[in-house]
Structures are given as structure tokens and as C-alpha cells.
Amino acid sequence: MRLRNKPWAKDKIAQYPQYIVPNPEEYKGKWHEAFASDQPLHIEVGTGKGRFITEMAKAHPEINYIGIELFDSVIVAALDRLIEAELPNLKLLNVNAKDLAKFFAKNDVQRVYLNFSDPWPKKRHEKRRLTYKDFLKLYEEIMTDGGEIHFKTDNQGLFEYSLMSFSAYGLLLKFISLDLHNSDFEGNIMTEYEEKFSEKGNRIYRCEVKYQH
Ligand SMILES: C[S@@+](CC[C@H](N)C(=O)[O-])C[C@H]1O[C@@H](n2cnc3c(N)ncnc32)[C@H](O)[C@@H]1O
């Protein structure tokens, strides 16, 4: 079933401007004002129902987090988690990642998380993949020099494509696991999709890459 934006979700989102920022362009270059703290900022692009970003914010109060999700009918589930957890270091944006440069300036962000991004397997949809070169350029435009992308997926085709895309862009590979759940990687936080796919027996791939300037 295709997820669409829903009026009931819009109404709910409008009630919580302290959690789902209604005017993110106003914080471009000054996100510390939105958080009232100058901590590093990590964002998750395609946050879905928000389990990963909420648990990360609980585990790392010294980092500020923003979860970015296109569909309001999905982000309301992340909003419910945030209302429950009342975390001062987490905010959500109901926007399209292709507009990231409208909301973030160079040096605003230290790290981008991509978890179980939609694979868009058809070649003609390559530009929609969140690891396509145009997105890598966009992340570079909003990150500090040496900023990192942490990426995980169960989709072997998307993982292989992304490794090639990272390499072609000149990103430095810092970490790779071809079977995350059978590795000694510590501190993994499961996303909703990760739980679903690993219960089916799918292998989880993970890598960390770094911009070199
Ligand atoms: C397959 S789901 C994974 C959700 C979550 N990260 C997880 O692992 O459970 C991918 C999510 O990314 C969102 N998404 C895809 N393209 C996006 C874009 N351009 N901007 C914002 N969100 C996007 C989708 O709406 C969807 O909720």
C-alpha cells in the first residue's frame, strides 16, 4: 500500500510545534537556537516511525538529533514516541530530503544516518535513492568537513550500489559489516524495518563513510 499524507496527521503535527518543527528554514545555520544547546547535530534521513532516532537520543544526551520523514502519516508514530519520551535533544521534520539545503547550512550537521532506505531497484529511479550522487552532494553541503554517513540495509543490491556511489564520490570507507547481527559490533539500535527483515532471516549490511574534506 502506498503511504500518502493524511489530513488527520497534519492536524496532530500542528499541535506539537516543539517536536515537529513547522518552520525549519528559520533555523538554517542556527539549530542550536531550536535546541537551546550547542551540541553536535546528527540527522536521520527517512526516519519512518522513529524508533532508531528516539533510542539514539535517549542513549546520547550529549548529541542533538533530527529525524526527517516525508510522510506525515508515518512521522506521527515518531511524534507519539517523542511525546512519550519528552527528549530535549530530538526534533522531527516532516519534509522531503531533496530540500535539505533549505533547512541546513554548511557545518550544521556532523553525521547523517540512512537506515533501510527505499531501494528503488529500477535504473530509471536511481536518482531517488538516498545514496545517489546528488544526495551525497547535498549531505556534503550541510555537513562539517569530515562528516560521516552511517548506512544500513538488508538490500544487497542497494548496499553494493551505495558502496560504489560512495567510492565514486571520494568518500572514505571507515567501517563495513556484511552481517551486522553476527558481528561484534556493539550498541546497534534496531529500526522498525531492521526488526521486520531480520526476523525473516535477512542479513543486515552496515557501513560508515567519511567526507575527506
Ligand atoms: C523503508 S522505510 C525505513 C524507515 C526506518 N528508517 C526504518 O529503518 O525502520 C524508508 C522511509 O524513508 C522515507 N523517505 C524516503 N524518501 C524520503 C525523502 N526523500 N525524504 C524524506 N523521507 C524519505 C519513507 O517515507 C520511509 O518512511
Side-chain angles (χ1 to χ4, degrees):
M1 188 189 78
R2 208 78 191 105
L3 297 161
R4 298 280 175 215
N5 287 324
K6 303 271 193 267
W8 59 266
K10 276 223 164 349
D11 291 346
K12 178 156 187 183
I13 287 167
Q15 288 171 36
Y16 293 94
Q18 70 275 41
Y19 294 139
I20 303 196
V21 183
N23 49 348
E25 55 287 334
E26 287 179 18
Y27 291 104
K28 182 172 176 172
K30 45 185 179 183
W31 278 97
H32 56 277
E33 289 182 11
F35 287 98
S37 101
D38 209 6
Q39 307 187 126
L41 178 60
H42 295 181
I43 66 173
E44 183 187 19
V45 179
T47 218
K49 294 182 178 174
R51 184 205 283 174
F52 176 83
I53 202 80
T54 311
E55 294 304 315
M56 288 296 279
K58 282 185 199 166
H60 300 284
E62 74 286 1
I63 309 281
N64 290 331
Y65 291 92
I66 295 181
I68 293 165
E69 170 54 46
L70 181 58
F71 289 109
D72 57 21
S73 56
V74 177
I75 206 171
V76 285
L79 174 60
D80 283 339
R81 286 183 183 278
L82 185 47
I83 293 168
E84 169 93 26
E86 289 184 12
L87 295 162
N89 61 330
L90 173 58
K91 305 225 174 268
L92 302 168
L93 301 188
N94 182 205
V95 299
N96 192 326
K98 70 181 172 55
D99 296 325
L100 280 176
K102 290 184 190 165
F103 314 123
F104 299 97
K106 180 71 186 163
N107 297 326
D108 272 354
V109 176
Q110 274 76 21
R111 187 177 295 175
V112 171
Y113 288 102
L114 300 173
N115 293 316
F116 298 83
S117 308
D118 297 316
W120 295 109
K122 290 183 182 148
K123 178 71 184 162
R124 66 187 156 93
H125 291 145
E126 181 187 6
K127 289 184 178 176
R128 298 184 189 179
R129 298 176 197 154
L130 293 178
T131 52
Y132 179 64
K133 62 177 167 47
D134 289 5
F135 277 106
L136 302 184
K137 183 165 179 286
L138 199 46
Y139 307 145
E140 185 173 29
E141 279 169 20
I142 65 169
M143 273 207 272
T144 46
D145 292 345
E148 296 184 3
I149 301 172
H150 292 198
F151 173 57
K152 59 182 172 175
T153 180
D154 70 317
N155 188 298
Q156 184 180 353
L158 180 66
F159 193 68
E160 288 173 356
Y161 167 85
S162 302
L163 288 175
M164 286 190 289
S165 182
F166 295 147
S167 169
Y169 198 82
L171 287 159
L172 185 73
L173 184 62
K174 275 186 64 189
F175 171 90
I176 185 164
S177 172
L178 301 180
D179 193 356
L180 183 67
H181 293 183
N182 290 305
S183 74
D184 54 10
F185 181 76
E186 287 178 10
N188 184 46
I189 290 181
M190 291 263 253
T191 79
E192 281 90 350
Y193 272 71
E194 184 171 359
E195 183 169 76
K196 193 167 78 176
F197 290 135
S198 55
E199 276 171 5
K200 285 194 341 192
N202 294 10
R203 177 198 288 241
I204 307 300
Y205 304 89
R206 184 180 187 282
C207 70
E208 296 176 6
V209 291
K210 184 179 171 89
Y211 289 89
Q212 298 190 69
H213 44 75

